[in-house]
mmCIF file of all heavy atoms in Angstrom:
data_model
loop_
_atom_site.group_PDB
_atom_site.id
_atom_site.type_symbol
_atom_site.label_atom_id
_atom_site.label_comp_id
_atom_site.label_asym_id
_atom_site.label_seq_id
_atom_site.Cartn_x
_atom_site.Cartn_y
_atom_site.Cartn_z
ATOM 1 N N CYS H 340 -24.554 -62.434 101.665
ATOM 2 C CA CYS H 340 -23.643 -61.304 101.844
ATOM 3 C C CYS H 340 -22.796 -61.499 103.029
ATOM 4 O O CYS H 340 -23.350 -61.745 104.141
ATOM 5 C CB CYS H 340 -24.478 -60.043 101.965
ATOM 6 S SG CYS H 340 -23.406 -58.618 102.105
ATOM 7 N N ILE H 343 -19.446 -57.618 107.096
ATOM 8 C CA ILE H 343 -18.048 -56.873 107.182
ATOM 9 C C ILE H 343 -18.148 -55.713 107.960
ATOM 10 O O ILE H 343 -19.147 -54.872 107.751
ATOM 11 C CB ILE H 343 -17.470 -56.692 105.854
ATOM 12 C CG1 ILE H 343 -17.153 -58.003 105.149
ATOM 13 C CG2 ILE H 343 -16.192 -55.920 105.837
ATOM 14 C CD1 ILE H 343 -16.965 -58.052 103.677
ATOM 15 N N TRP H 345 -17.743 -52.614 108.059
ATOM 16 C CA TRP H 345 -17.415 -51.381 107.296
ATOM 17 C C TRP H 345 -17.461 -50.070 108.055
ATOM 18 O O TRP H 345 -18.203 -50.213 109.127
ATOM 19 C CB TRP H 345 -18.500 -51.061 106.133
ATOM 20 C CG TRP H 345 -18.620 -52.314 105.178
ATOM 21 C CD1 TRP H 345 -19.631 -53.242 105.060
ATOM 22 C CD2 TRP H 345 -17.606 -52.652 104.187
ATOM 23 N NE1 TRP H 345 -19.261 -54.157 104.059
ATOM 24 C CE2 TRP H 345 -18.085 -53.858 103.543
ATOM 25 C CE3 TRP H 345 -16.235 -52.278 103.883
ATOM 26 C CZ2 TRP H 345 -17.336 -54.515 102.628
ATOM 27 C CZ3 TRP H 345 -15.533 -52.874 102.826
ATOM 28 C CH2 TRP H 345 -16.126 -53.930 102.293
ATOM 29 N N ALA H 387 -15.271 -48.466 92.861
ATOM 30 C CA ALA H 387 -15.969 -49.259 93.870
ATOM 31 C C ALA H 387 -15.045 -49.881 94.822
ATOM 32 O O ALA H 387 -15.307 -49.920 96.053
ATOM 33 C CB ALA H 387 -17.018 -50.248 93.163
ATOM 34 N N CYS H 388 -14.009 -50.397 94.180
ATOM 35 C CA CYS H 388 -12.959 -51.059 95.107
ATOM 36 C C CYS H 388 -12.303 -50.052 95.947
ATOM 37 O O CYS H 388 -12.084 -50.312 97.177
ATOM 38 C CB CYS H 388 -11.864 -51.668 94.124
ATOM 39 S SG CYS H 388 -10.656 -52.484 94.953
ATOM 40 N N THR H 391 -14.425 -49.185 98.882
ATOM 41 C CA THR H 391 -14.853 -50.245 99.968
ATOM 42 C C THR H 391 -13.680 -51.050 100.460
ATOM 43 O O THR H 391 -12.832 -50.426 101.267
ATOM 44 C CB THR H 391 -15.936 -51.209 99.402
ATOM 45 O OG1 THR H 391 -15.373 -51.855 98.082
ATOM 46 C CG2 THR H 391 -17.283 -50.672 99.123
ATOM 47 N N ARG H 392 -13.409 -52.209 99.831
ATOM 48 C CA ARG H 392 -12.386 -53.012 100.469
ATOM 49 C C ARG H 392 -10.941 -52.644 100.000
ATOM 50 O O ARG H 392 -9.947 -53.100 100.534
ATOM 51 C CB ARG H 392 -12.522 -54.493 99.914
ATOM 52 C CG ARG H 392 -12.259 -54.514 98.449
ATOM 53 C CD ARG H 392 -12.616 -55.862 97.994
ATOM 54 N NE ARG H 392 -12.641 -56.043 96.475
ATOM 55 C CZ ARG H 392 -11.591 -56.117 95.716
ATOM 56 N NH1 ARG H 392 -10.382 -56.250 96.249
ATOM 57 N NH2 ARG H 392 -11.739 -56.140 94.424
ATOM 58 N N VAL H 397 -15.391 -47.847 103.325
ATOM 59 C CA VAL H 397 -16.719 -47.403 103.559
ATOM 60 C C VAL H 397 -17.734 -48.352 103.126
ATOM 61 O O VAL H 397 -17.437 -49.188 102.178
ATOM 62 C CB VAL H 397 -16.843 -46.101 102.723
ATOM 63 C CG1 VAL H 397 -18.412 -45.553 102.746
ATOM 64 C CG2 VAL H 397 -15.944 -45.004 103.400
ATOM 65 N N HIS H 398 -18.872 -48.464 103.727
ATOM 66 C CA HIS H 398 -20.029 -49.464 103.382
ATOM 67 C C HIS H 398 -20.392 -49.430 101.910
ATOM 68 O O HIS H 398 -20.565 -48.415 101.356
ATOM 69 C CB HIS H 398 -21.220 -49.143 104.167
ATOM 70 C CG HIS H 398 -22.018 -50.396 104.476
ATOM 71 N ND1 HIS H 398 -22.537 -51.226 103.509
ATOM 72 C CD2 HIS H 398 -22.427 -51.012 105.580
ATOM 73 C CE1 HIS H 398 -23.271 -52.078 104.013
ATOM 74 N NE2 HIS H 398 -23.335 -52.083 105.348
ATOM 75 N N TRP H 399 -20.484 -50.689 101.229
ATOM 76 C CA TRP H 399 -20.886 -50.628 99.892
ATOM 77 C C TRP H 399 -22.222 -50.067 99.618
ATOM 78 O O TRP H 399 -22.576 -49.551 98.482
ATOM 79 C CB TRP H 399 -20.724 -52.072 99.266
ATOM 80 C CG TRP H 399 -21.550 -53.155 99.972
ATOM 81 C CD1 TRP H 399 -21.246 -53.941 101.045
ATOM 82 C CD2 TRP H 399 -22.857 -53.523 99.555
ATOM 83 N NE1 TRP H 399 -22.259 -54.828 101.239
ATOM 84 C CE2 TRP H 399 -23.301 -54.511 100.451
ATOM 85 C CE3 TRP H 399 -23.790 -52.987 98.660
ATOM 86 C CZ2 TRP H 399 -24.642 -55.085 100.398
ATOM 87 C CZ3 TRP H 399 -25.006 -53.583 98.538
ATOM 88 C CH2 TRP H 399 -25.480 -54.731 99.349
ATOM 89 N N ASN H 421 -23.233 -55.946 91.463
ATOM 90 C CA ASN H 421 -21.844 -55.555 91.254
ATOM 91 C C ASN H 421 -21.189 -54.917 92.550
ATOM 92 O O ASN H 421 -20.023 -55.095 92.697
ATOM 93 C CB ASN H 421 -21.712 -54.520 90.038
ATOM 94 C CG ASN H 421 -21.670 -55.200 88.671
ATOM 95 O OD1 ASN H 421 -20.831 -56.185 88.571
ATOM 96 N ND2 ASN H 421 -22.565 -54.979 87.887
ATOM 97 N N TRP H 422 -21.935 -54.293 93.369
ATOM 98 C CA TRP H 422 -21.399 -53.773 94.530
ATOM 99 C C TRP H 422 -21.139 -54.838 95.537
ATOM 100 O O TRP H 422 -20.137 -54.945 96.243
ATOM 101 C CB TRP H 422 -22.375 -52.677 95.306
ATOM 102 C CG TRP H 422 -22.171 -51.271 94.615
ATOM 103 C CD1 TRP H 422 -22.893 -50.783 93.642
ATOM 104 C CD2 TRP H 422 -20.988 -50.407 94.952
ATOM 105 N NE1 TRP H 422 -22.331 -49.598 93.340
ATOM 106 C CE2 TRP H 422 -21.190 -49.293 94.110
ATOM 107 C CE3 TRP H 422 -20.088 -50.409 95.870
ATOM 108 C CZ2 TRP H 422 -20.477 -48.231 94.107
ATOM 109 C CZ3 TRP H 422 -19.122 -49.339 95.913
ATOM 110 C CH2 TRP H 422 -19.349 -48.204 95.008
ATOM 111 N N LEU H 423 -22.086 -55.893 95.478
ATOM 112 C CA LEU H 423 -21.566 -57.114 96.317
ATOM 113 C C LEU H 423 -20.316 -57.722 95.874
ATOM 114 O O LEU H 423 -19.516 -58.211 96.635
ATOM 115 C CB LEU H 423 -22.782 -58.099 96.290
ATOM 116 C CG LEU H 423 -24.115 -57.852 96.976
ATOM 117 C CD1 LEU H 423 -25.197 -58.731 96.578
ATOM 118 C CD2 LEU H 423 -23.840 -58.082 98.478
ATOM 119 N N TRP H 424 -20.156 -57.714 94.533
ATOM 120 C CA TRP H 424 -18.987 -58.324 93.980
ATOM 121 C C TRP H 424 -17.731 -57.526 94.338
ATOM 122 O O TRP H 424 -16.896 -58.201 94.712
ATOM 123 C CB TRP H 424 -19.298 -58.292 92.402
ATOM 124 C CG TRP H 424 -18.204 -59.050 91.639
ATOM 125 C CD1 TRP H 424 -16.871 -58.675 91.522
ATOM 126 C CD2 TRP H 424 -18.282 -60.189 90.917
ATOM 127 N NE1 TRP H 424 -16.130 -59.537 90.602
ATOM 128 C CE2 TRP H 424 -17.026 -60.457 90.289
ATOM 129 C CE3 TRP H 424 -19.294 -61.025 90.506
ATOM 130 C CZ2 TRP H 424 -16.845 -61.661 89.472
ATOM 131 C CZ3 TRP H 424 -19.049 -62.294 89.751
ATOM 132 C CH2 TRP H 424 -17.908 -62.464 89.158
ATOM 133 N N LEU H 425 -17.669 -56.356 93.964
ATOM 134 C CA LEU H 425 -16.528 -55.464 94.145
ATOM 135 C C LEU H 425 -16.121 -55.245 95.599
ATOM 136 O O LEU H 425 -15.000 -55.203 95.762
ATOM 137 C CB LEU H 425 -16.877 -54.150 93.524
ATOM 138 C CG LEU H 425 -16.233 -53.941 92.135
ATOM 139 C CD1 LEU H 425 -14.681 -54.040 92.174
ATOM 140 C CD2 LEU H 425 -16.888 -54.887 91.145
ATOM 141 N N SER H 426 -17.016 -55.454 96.554
ATOM 142 C CA SER H 426 -16.716 -55.227 97.870
ATOM 143 C C SER H 426 -16.402 -56.598 98.506
ATOM 144 O O SER H 426 -16.094 -56.618 99.690
ATOM 145 C CB SER H 426 -17.842 -54.527 98.710
ATOM 146 O OG SER H 426 -18.997 -55.424 98.736
ATOM 147 N N CYS H 427 -16.335 -57.619 97.710
ATOM 148 C CA CYS H 427 -15.920 -58.943 98.230
ATOM 149 C C CYS H 427 -16.961 -59.370 99.214
ATOM 150 O O CYS H 427 -16.648 -60.050 100.149
ATOM 151 C CB CYS H 427 -14.542 -59.045 98.692
ATOM 152 S SG CYS H 427 -13.322 -59.203 97.476
ATOM 153 N N SER H 428 -18.240 -58.970 99.102
ATOM 154 C CA SER H 428 -19.298 -59.393 100.022
ATOM 155 C C SER H 428 -19.922 -60.781 99.496
ATOM 156 O O SER H 428 -20.586 -61.362 100.263
ATOM 157 C CB SER H 428 -20.317 -58.271 100.152
ATOM 158 O OG SER H 428 -19.543 -57.103 100.656
ATOM 159 N N SER H 429 -19.867 -60.773 98.215
ATOM 160 C CA SER H 429 -20.564 -62.141 97.567
ATOM 161 C C SER H 429 -19.960 -62.216 96.144
ATOM 162 O O SER H 429 -19.278 -61.375 95.554
ATOM 163 C CB SER H 429 -22.032 -61.809 97.476
ATOM 164 O OG SER H 429 -22.700 -63.129 97.341
ATOM 165 N N PHE H 431 -17.589 -62.874 94.574
ATOM 166 C CA PHE H 431 -16.138 -62.670 94.409
ATOM 167 C C PHE H 431 -15.479 -62.508 95.808
ATOM 168 O O PHE H 431 -15.873 -61.655 96.481
ATOM 169 C CB PHE H 431 -15.840 -61.542 93.420
ATOM 170 C CG PHE H 431 -14.362 -61.220 93.180
ATOM 171 C CD1 PHE H 431 -13.671 -62.030 92.353
ATOM 172 C CD2 PHE H 431 -13.751 -60.044 93.847
ATOM 173 C CE1 PHE H 431 -12.255 -61.599 92.038
ATOM 174 C CE2 PHE H 431 -12.505 -59.795 93.797
ATOM 175 C CZ PHE H 431 -11.684 -60.613 92.825
ATOM 176 N N TYR H 434 -9.883 -60.910 98.096
ATOM 177 C CA TYR H 434 -9.825 -59.325 98.591
ATOM 178 C C TYR H 434 -8.452 -58.924 98.571
ATOM 179 O O TYR H 434 -8.222 -57.737 98.805
ATOM 180 C CB TYR H 434 -10.414 -59.380 100.035
ATOM 181 C CG TYR H 434 -9.892 -60.263 101.045
ATOM 182 C CD1 TYR H 434 -8.599 -59.937 101.554
ATOM 183 C CD2 TYR H 434 -10.503 -61.408 101.421
ATOM 184 C CE1 TYR H 434 -8.069 -60.610 102.513
ATOM 185 C CE2 TYR H 434 -9.945 -62.224 102.319
ATOM 186 C CZ TYR H 434 -8.735 -61.864 102.895
ATOM 187 O OH TYR H 434 -8.088 -62.751 103.892
ATOM 188 N N MET H 509 -10.264 -57.223 106.027
ATOM 189 C CA MET H 509 -11.148 -58.209 105.336
ATOM 190 C C MET H 509 -10.733 -59.561 105.921
ATOM 191 O O MET H 509 -11.671 -60.457 106.015
ATOM 192 C CB MET H 509 -10.787 -58.105 103.842
ATOM 193 C CG MET H 509 -11.366 -56.788 103.132
ATOM 194 S SD MET H 509 -13.114 -56.627 103.233
ATOM 195 C CE MET H 509 -13.606 -57.871 102.044
ATOM 196 N N TYR H 513 -13.535 -61.972 107.268
ATOM 197 C CA TYR H 513 -13.903 -63.389 106.746
ATOM 198 C C TYR H 513 -13.599 -64.455 107.803
ATOM 199 O O TYR H 513 -14.426 -65.347 107.911
ATOM 200 C CB TYR H 513 -12.846 -63.584 105.557
ATOM 201 C CG TYR H 513 -13.279 -63.184 104.296
ATOM 202 C CD1 TYR H 513 -13.920 -61.922 104.042
ATOM 203 C CD2 TYR H 513 -13.071 -63.934 103.171
ATOM 204 C CE1 TYR H 513 -14.488 -61.618 102.887
ATOM 205 C CE2 TYR H 513 -13.596 -63.553 101.850
ATOM 206 C CZ TYR H 513 -14.209 -62.379 101.792
ATOM 207 O OH TYR H 513 -14.661 -61.886 100.579
#
Side-chain angles (χ1 to χ4, degrees):
Chain H
C340 184
I343 294 166
W345 304 110
C388 177
T391 57
R392 66 183 170 85
V397 170
H398 204 308
W399 61 268
N421 276 307
W422 277 97
L423 285 164
W424 186 293
L425 261 298
S426 64
C427 282
S428 297
S429 200
F431 176 80
Y434 58 78
M509 291 300 283
Y513 269 40

